[in-house]
């Protein structure tokens, strides 16, 4: 009798947890835009850098929010084409629980000063002068964009340029950031 009572208490809780996980994973599976790769969740590498004005960003301080980490360089043609769409995406998601972080990969300030005001004047970038942060994150080319969940885990990666401000990507990101 006691076993049956325990089973009737445990099974409904297990089933609802399973159903929530299944619903969440199936929602992502059907709505993930082309070119966005879902990752096995794992802790994001450390990311602590300064911007051109001396302000700093530490990924560990962003817990509780989604973080878009975008690696780029001014010499990269796809980065040049994509950066305006990143800027428009950031503006479109200004009220979402997300932080958009740009990481310039191993360039000097002169190259960045010549690039950002022309291509994405409203965005700031972090400077990975020596490339060590980029090396820890291991993007497979530029541009590369990682989505880090509120628990600090890598969840998605986009390799190469895309139109982040398109309805397809903005819809996916809004749904993702809104949570289940």
């Amino acid at each position: 009798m006691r076993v049956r009572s325990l089973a009737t208490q445990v099974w409904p809780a297990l089933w609802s947890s399973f159903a929530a996980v299944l619903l969440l994973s199936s929602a992502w599976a059907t709505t993930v835009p082309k070119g966005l790769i879902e990752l096995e969740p794992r802790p994001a590498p450390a990311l602590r850098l300064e911007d051109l004005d001396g302000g700093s960003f530490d990924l560990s301080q962003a817990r509780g929010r989604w973080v878009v980490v975008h690696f780029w360089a001014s010499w990269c043609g796809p980065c040049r084409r994509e950066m305006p769409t990143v800027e428009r995406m950031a503006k479109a998601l200004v009220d979402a629980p997300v932080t958009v972080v740009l990481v310039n990969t191993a360039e000097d300030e002169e190259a960045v000063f010549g690039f950002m005001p022309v291509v994405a004047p409203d965005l700031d970038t972090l400077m990975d002068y020596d490339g060590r942060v980029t090396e820890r994150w291991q993007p497979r080319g530029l541009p590369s964009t990682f989505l880090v969940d509120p628990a600090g885990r890598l969840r998605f990666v986009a390799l190469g340029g895309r139109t982040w401000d398109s309805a397809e990507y903005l819809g996916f990101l809004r749904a993702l950031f809104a949570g289940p």
Side-chain angles (χ1 to χ4, degrees), residues 11 37-38 42 49-51 63 88 99 110 117-118 130 139 144 154 159-160 174 178:
W11 282 112
I37 302 165
E38 189 170 359
R42 64 182 183 275
L49 291 170
E50 291 186 355
D51 63 22
R63 293 281 166 90
R88 289 189 296 269
T99 300
E110 186 175 323
V118 174
D130 59 12
S144 285
L154 294 174
L159 307 173
R174 284 186 179 113

Side-chain angles (χ1 to χ4, degrees), residues 30-58:
T30 60
T31 61
V32 175
K34 182 180 179 183
L36 204 55
I37 302 165
E38 189 170 359
L39 302 171
E40 185 68 35
R42 64 182 183 275
L47 192 163
R48 176 189 249 165
L49 291 170
E50 291 186 355
D51 63 22
L52 292 169
D53 296 325
S56 64
F57 175 81
D58 185 342

Side-chain angles (χ1 to χ4, degrees), residues 49 104-107 127-136:
L49 291 170
N104 177 267
T105 303
E107 291 189 288
M127 299 297 294
D128 186 13
Y129 293 110
D130 59 12
R132 288 184 180 168
V133 168
T134 303
E135 188 176 306
R136 272 195 301 269

Side-chain angles (χ1 to χ4, degrees), residues 59 62-67 97 147-153 155 176-177:
L59 182 63
R63 293 281 166 90
R65 294 178 60 85
W66 281 89
V67 181
L147 301 180
V148 180
D149 73 15
R153 299 172 301 183
R155 298 305 295 268
L176 182 66
F177 302 154

Side-chain angles (χ1 to χ4, degrees), residues 51-53 68 70-72 79-94 98-104 112-113 115-127 164-165:
D51 63 22
L52 292 169
D53 296 325
V68 175
H70 180 74
F71 289 88
W72 70 279
C79 299
R80 296 182 79 79
R81 288 187 299 277
E82 180 185 52
M83 191 64 76
T85 75
V86 173
E87 182 175 50
R88 289 189 296 269
M89 173 199 63
K91 287 178 182 178
L93 297 173
V94 71
V98 62
T99 300
V100 177
V101 176
L102 306 178
V103 179
N104 177 267
V112 174
F113 275 128
F115 177 85
M116 291 301 289
V118 174
V119 179
D122 294 330
L123 291 179
D124 293 321
T125 188
L126 300 174
M127 299 297 294
W164 287 105
D165 61 336

